[in-house]
Amino acid sequence: MVYVLSRDGQPIMPTERYGKVRHLLKNGKAKVVKRCPFTIQLLYESKCFTQPVDLGVDAGSKRIGISATTKDKVLYESEAELRNDIVDILSTRRQNRRGRRNRKTRYRKPRFDNRKRGAGWLAPSVRHKVQTHLTVVRKVCEILPVTKITVEVASFDIQKIKDPDIKGTEYQQGEQLNFWNVREYVLFRDGHQCQCCKGKSKDKVLNVHHIESRKTGGDAPNNLITLCETCHKGYHKGTVKLPTTIKRGMPFKDAAFMGVMRWAFYNELRDLYPDVHLTYGYITKNTRIENELPKEHYIDARCISGNPNAKPSGCVYFQKKVRCHNRQIHKNTILKGGYRKRNQAEYKVKGFRLYDKVQYQGKQYFIFGRRQSGFFDIRTLDGNKINKGSVSCKRIKFLETSRGWLTEQRKVTA
């Protein structure tokens, strides 16, 4: 598909008449606006005939499925991968900030308290993903005349997942009922006994240990375990190993995100576009099974759009959201001599930026690493490296500058 914009920038129906597109570009009657997906803008007045275009959005915490269809044909399909490093990055920033304040302004009294959360406040990780969903929808509406948007939302009963037999007032009586805090509950749950040595160390001092890092695993009870002080210190020194049976319980990050995000995304989408509707996962699953379609995010989005039997275009755009800026000046690791390496590389190395799209041996790749010597690490979005090594910058051709989104076109059969 070649996506077409009118002279005033409004999207009109796309075309597959490549000869006419080539003729328009050659004669200066159109210009290229975007390379992937390939989009042109007409430079003359034309009649803007459009058809009803339905957009299906398969919302998710890790991937988003998008499908824009008419009754007969698929016009655009994509699968976008979201960032999941926001929590870790903010935790690292908080750790550095607290350490810096402790070193430099340890005895400073608090001067003001302006930490107020307004109505509709969302955690930064959730807010980022909501904004990413809105951006993905906006990018489709910029190249296609979308008339109707349908979003699939999901609601997860986390207490029902933990205990399938829960009912009635038991929902108000959680596992930490009558306990002062999480630590007291974890000690009671483990019988006030070290789960590593089972009391063989005869150390009466008990600690609560995080199975996964507190930065990313949090303080949920299924991420905590009771250890005696001897085993706890030995584990962090590397002299003690925990039994293989000790593992983190099932995390519910994705389920909690979908519960928080679904209404925030839907309400903001409804404020931006006139015709927005909701659907649910069981309806999508039933439609996909009835039409004997494979399980993919973009195919679920096609079922959500209401046209599961639309003829596929033969290609899907895979997108990945990457970090735009890294303002951390130094790395956290302290080297010999008491100094730390700089964390910021040069803006351009040999004329190339990080995540630029380049061409090598007739194929398109992205720059994932740069060296001052001029040898770059180029990969596809699924992580495949080229010859398992670096490629000289003299052998690659620049195609497109990175703008926070990496887009790759792939051929599919379904």
Side-chain angles (χ1 to χ4, degrees), residues 338-350:
Y339 71 93
R340 295 182 295 173
K341 279 187 175 180
R342 285 186 62 84
N343 189 57
Q344 295 179 341
E346 291 186 14
Y347 185 72
K348 284 188 177 183
V349 177
K350 305 295 183 182

Side-chain angles (χ1 to χ4, degrees), residues 38-75:
F38 194 80
T39 309
I40 65 171
Q41 181 176 2
L42 302 179
L43 301 178
Y44 62 94
E45 293 294 338
S46 63
K47 296 181 180 178
C48 301
F49 295 110
T50 60
Q51 302 174 17
V53 177
D54 300 320
L55 178 64
V57 182
D58 181 21
S61 65
K62 294 181 179 178
R63 289 180 178 270
I64 309 172
I66 293 287
S67 181
T69 62
T70 60
K71 289 185 178 180
D72 304 322
K73 188 182 294 185
V74 173
L75 303 180

